[in-house]
Amino acid sequence: MQIIIEKMLESHLLEIKDILISDFDNFWSYSILQSELKNENSTLIIAKIENEIVGFAGIWRAIDDIHITNIVTKISKRHIGIGSKLLEELINISKDEHATSLTLEVNENNKNAIKLYEKYNFKKIGIRKNYYGQNENAIIMTLFFLT
Ligand SMILES: CC(C)(COP(=O)(O)OP(=O)(O)OC[C@H]1O[C@@H](n2cnc3c(N)ncnc32)[C@H](O)[C@@H]1OP(=O)(O)O)[C@@H](O)C(=O)NCCC(=O)NCCS
């Protein structure tokens, strides 16, 4: 089973538009993804298995830091390596762009995502209190690149 990573195009977005809620946890809305596609500071990528879109992820560039805006695997395809593949690609893009770090916020209760980031050496560097609502804190995690 080969996981292929590609840049997201408008046509890919249209392909997953109607299943964003049911199959991708409603993680990001169609309109947000559409505007991110047009934003020159953003890059969105998709993961495909045999022509089926099984995940997507995005980054947003600040000055030296690149921020992961989103990473999500299709619910029926989790824990088979797709999130890792997407994250590896985001790390490679960040290195190619000479970023000093790659940062994200993750819900402190999202154990699977935290494990994924720890697997790639992201470190917990802070907390944003009530970021996701009352008593739902975000952990800020960063991967520092040696320059
Ligand atoms: C977090 C998420 C993207 C991981 O994607 P995935 O395709 O399942 O990831 P992988 O299969 O590459 O797994 C990577 C690592 O994550 C951890 N992990 C993922 N799913 C897990 C599970 N069900 N149980 C335990 N660990 C899990 C493991 O450490 C795993 O590494 P391993 O296979 O060596 O054990 C996926 O669970 C998801 O889409 N969640 C909803 C969206 C989300 O929370 N995104 C993160 C926002 S910050």
Side-chain angles (χ1 to χ4, degrees), residues 33-43 59-61:
L33 286 164
Q34 207 180 23
S35 68
E36 283 300 292
L37 266 185
K38 293 188 182 121
N39 181 344
E40 60 183 28
N41 288 318
S42 297
T43 299
I59 49 172
W60 185 81
R61 292 166 191 79

Side-chain angles (χ1 to χ4, degrees), residues 27 71-73 78-81 83-84 110 112 115 117 119:
F27 227 68
I71 177 161
V72 56
T73 296
R78 289 197 180 152
H79 212 185
I80 57 167
S84 300
N110 193 345
N112 292 343
K115 269 199 208 162
Y117 301 129
K119 186 173 147 190

